[in-house]
């Protein structure tokens, strides 16, 4: 079976600054990968390259059969298969929760209102917020808003989901609610790349942990590397992060 996501020797520069210095890793369908590392190590940039929010200078990225580095690729076709959730959830404040979730279904998938509403009901149920469908975002807690953002992404039926520090703006209780939703998704077989500082979550949910250091993939393994790291750099990162 081909990898769901495969990066080979990916180099990304911003001007003279080389942020990704030839990184390689692959992710099988259904796997959950935790991408960890210090601030500035290139985690967000790597995610953004996977979704072609950034163009790479060299190397290859394959995602669900799309050649991401190919300038001829239509990013919209890629993004039908790849959902992304950020730290800032960016819901539209003047639309209800349901309307936020339905927007892309209507605009991109050309669904009619009643079909889109059915999908919205299903994905909101999946994140535990069925009863909030007609509320406005400001009536929800931060954690609930982030779960709506996850539902909005799920509504498009992505094959891979990318999460970039989705809990870092939330207090511990709300963080727990969001992480539980993500663990449910993982159990349901979603392929996920999760940039996170939540090491307890990584231990529980990750099939693979990728530690980035100064633009390199420095150590890779299963969740046990979080307990018994091989490299001094990962050991030091874990000591400081916990
Ligand atoms: N658009 C950009 N233009 C110039 N430099 C950038 C750009 N985006 C990121 N960088 C630089 O690339 C490096 C890696 O940034 P990135 O956001 O990928 O790090 P990160 O590992 O996600 O860090 P954090 O944990 O703080 O989110 C940093 O030095 C950053 O300043
Ligand atoms: Mg980042």
């Amino acid at each position: 079976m081909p990898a769901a996501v495969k990066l080979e020797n990916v180099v990304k520069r911003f001007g003279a600054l080389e942020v990704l210095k030839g990184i390689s890793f692959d992710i099988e369908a259904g796997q959950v990968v935790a991408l960890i590392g210090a601030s500035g190590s290139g985690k967000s940039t790597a995610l953004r390259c996977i979704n072609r929010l950034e163009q790479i200078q060299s190397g290859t990225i394959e995602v669900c059969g799309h050649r991401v580095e190919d300038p001829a690729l239509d990013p919209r076709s890629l993004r039908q298969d790849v959902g992304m959730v950020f730290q800032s959830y960016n819901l539209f404040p003047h639309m209800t929760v349901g309307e936020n979730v339905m927007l892309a279904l209507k605009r991109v998938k050309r669904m009619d209102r009643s079909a889109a509403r059915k999908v919205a009901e299903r994905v909101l149920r999946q994140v535990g917020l069925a009863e909030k469908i007609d509320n406005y975002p400001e009536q929800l807690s931060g954690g609930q808003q982030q779960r709506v953002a996850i539902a909005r992404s799920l509504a498009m039926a992505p094959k891979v989901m990318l999460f970039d520090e989705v809990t870092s703006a939330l207090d511990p209780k709300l963080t727990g609610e969001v992480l539980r939703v993500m663990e449910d998704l993982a159990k349901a077989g979603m392929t996920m790349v999760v940039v996170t500082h939540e090491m307890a979550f990584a231990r529980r949910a990750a099939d693979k942990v990728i530690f980035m250091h100064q633009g390199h993939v420095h150590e890779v393994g299963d969740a046990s590397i979080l307990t018994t790291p091989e490299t001094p750099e990962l050991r030091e990162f874990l000591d400081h992060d916990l």
Side-chain angles (χ1 to χ4, degrees):
M1 202 163 81
V5 177
K6 188 176 177 67
L7 281 73
E8 271 184 316
N9 296 320
V10 170
V11 173
K12 171 66 195 171
R13 281 189 289 270
F14 293 105
L17 181 68
E18 194 164 82
V19 174
L20 302 179
K21 299 174 181 166
I23 66 169
S24 303
F25 59 80
D26 52 62
I27 302 167
E28 289 166 31
Q31 270 191 329
V32 176
V33 169
L35 199 53
I36 64 170
S39 180
S41 59
K43 305 177 300 292
S44 295
T45 303
L47 277 197
R48 292 170 57 80
C49 290
I50 290 173
N51 209 7
R52 247 275 286 271
L53 292 168
E54 304 287 355
Q55 293 262 18
I56 61 176
Q57 271 62 52
S58 64
T60 59
I61 304 179
E62 195 179 324
V63 179
C64 304
H66 302 281
R67 303 302 311 224
V68 178
E69 77 285 358
D70 180 354
L73 172 85
D74 178 357
R76 284 172 304 185
S77 73
L78 170 70
R79 289 179 203 143
Q80 297 250 339
D81 286 338
V82 184
M84 187 155 179
V85 185
F86 302 88
Q87 178 180 334
S88 55
Y89 9 94
N90 296 325
L91 302 175
F92 289 110
H94 60 288
M95 292 183 187
T96 65
V97 162
E99 285 163 354
N100 268 282
V101 175
M102 288 157 60
L103 188 64
L105 292 172
K106 292 195 287 189
R107 291 218 180 137
V108 180
K109 298 222 162 168
R110 305 268 166 226
M111 270 187 198
D112 67 31
R113 196 181 161 77
S114 76
R117 173 101 185 171
K118 282 210 180 70
V119 174
E121 285 168 355
R122 175 171 54 76
V123 294
L124 286 168
R125 207 177 314 120
Q126 214 175 329
V127 302
L129 291 173
E131 77 287 0
K132 300 290 188 192
I133 190 164
D134 294 318
N135 282 92
Y136 284 87
E138 64 174 18
Q139 300 171 313
L140 272 57
S141 73
Q144 289 172 334
Q145 291 186 47
Q146 188 58 286
R147 282 146 66 199
V148 173
I150 294 172
R152 176 177 58 182
S153 187
L154 273 177
M156 300 300 283
K159 294 182 182 138
V160 175
M161 287 183 80
L162 311 176
F163 295 87
D164 195 356
E165 305 215 29
V166 294
T167 61
S168 46
L170 304 174
D171 69 33
K173 178 174 174 293
L174 300 180
T175 293
E177 291 173 1
V178 173
L179 293 179
R180 264 193 296 283
V181 165
M182 291 167 65
E183 286 186 59
D184 287 346
L185 265 181
K187 285 192 193 114
M190 180 62 77
T191 309
M192 298 165 54
V193 189
V194 184
V195 174
T196 186
H197 286 286
E198 298 288 336
M199 293 304 139
F201 168 81
R203 274 200 195 88
R204 283 197 306 273
D207 301 299
K208 186 185 257 191
V209 175
I210 296 174
F211 170 60
M212 290 193 55
H213 181 66
Q214 298 180 352
H216 295 280
V217 170
H218 197 76
E219 188 166 340
V220 184
D222 62 23
S224 71
I225 69 170
L226 298 172
T227 322
T228 48
E230 277 188 8
T231 62
E233 290 79 8
L234 177 53
R235 194 170 312 131
E236 192 187 353
F237 170 75
L238 293 169
D239 284 346
H240 284 91
D241 211 67
L242 295 178

